Amino acid sequence: MKFFIDTANLDQIREAQALGILDGVTTNPSLMAKEGITGEENIKNHYKAICEIVDGDVSAEVIATDYEGMVKEGEALAALHSQIVVKLPMIADGVKACKYFSDKGIKTNVTLVFSAGQALLAAKAGATYVSPFIGRLDDISTDGLNLIAEIRHIYDNYMFETEILAASVRHTMHIIDCAKIGADVMTGPLKAIEGLLKHPLTDSGLEKFLADYKKGN
Ligand code: E4P
């Protein structure tokens, strides 16, 4: 299972990278705005800065919503760095643009996916990643994890190579549940990743080992 961090915060990306478990980064326009990164040039430079920190794939989202605009913008983003993955919204023009980029061998991430049917279309268009948003489904009383299971089932039926990137991961249990279902990738906040580290028995066990060591030395 690949671990992506879902942020545009460089310190958090560095922290996850330093842990040695980071496989990539996802961003979106909201995450960029949260860090105060605005304006085309600043945003492009920020993507480059992220690529310098991590070794893996970095999703960069297009703003255009028409096919020609997405192609133009996506090509410019892909040209920024070899690690850039063009992130496209799940709308008709996004599917067309996904097919265009996959035919050209440029990696894509189809985002804002909320149904199995949308995930099927993304795979048919040759998406590298499909991003079902589990947290946002949970927010409206719909089981986000069930969507991951449905997509896993469909992709396995036809051996689609599109990787299921569980997105909108909000907490540590989401990560564990996605791993049980067989999501290929998860993207979540640093806090959710760090939650995997914690167990009170680890802390108390370590405390006791160190205390016993001190007794004998
Ligand atoms: C995915 O690529 C999105 O950036 C992200 O996971 C959305 O998460 P949110 O629902 O917590 O905003």
Side-chain angles (χ1 to χ4, degrees), residues 156-177:
D156 288 351
N157 278 350
Y158 298 99
M159 289 183 284
F160 282 122
E161 286 177 9
T162 300
E163 293 185 48
I164 303 172
L165 197 176
S168 189
V169 159
R170 300 278 173 75
H171 50 73
T172 305
M173 274 313 291
H174 268 158
I175 303 177
I176 294 166
D177 286 332

Side-chain angles (χ1 to χ4, degrees), residues 6 26 28 31 87 133 136 167-168 170 187:
D6 195 30
T26 52
N28 63 39
L31 293 171
K87 200 173 179 190
F133 278 32
R136 291 191 195 188
S168 189
R170 300 278 173 75
T187 190

Side-chain angles (χ1 to χ4, degrees), residues 45-61:
N45 288 334
H46 203 73
Y47 284 137
K48 286 197 254 182
I50 293 174
C51 290
E52 293 308 316
I53 299 171
V54 295
D55 298 323
D57 288 345
V58 175
S59 288
E61 190 158 342

Side-chain angles (χ1 to χ4, degrees), residues 199-213:
H199 199 288
L201 290 179
T202 304
D203 298 338
S204 59
L206 183 61
E207 207 177 309
K208 172 113 177 54
F209 284 158
L210 294 178
D212 288 345
Y213 173 82

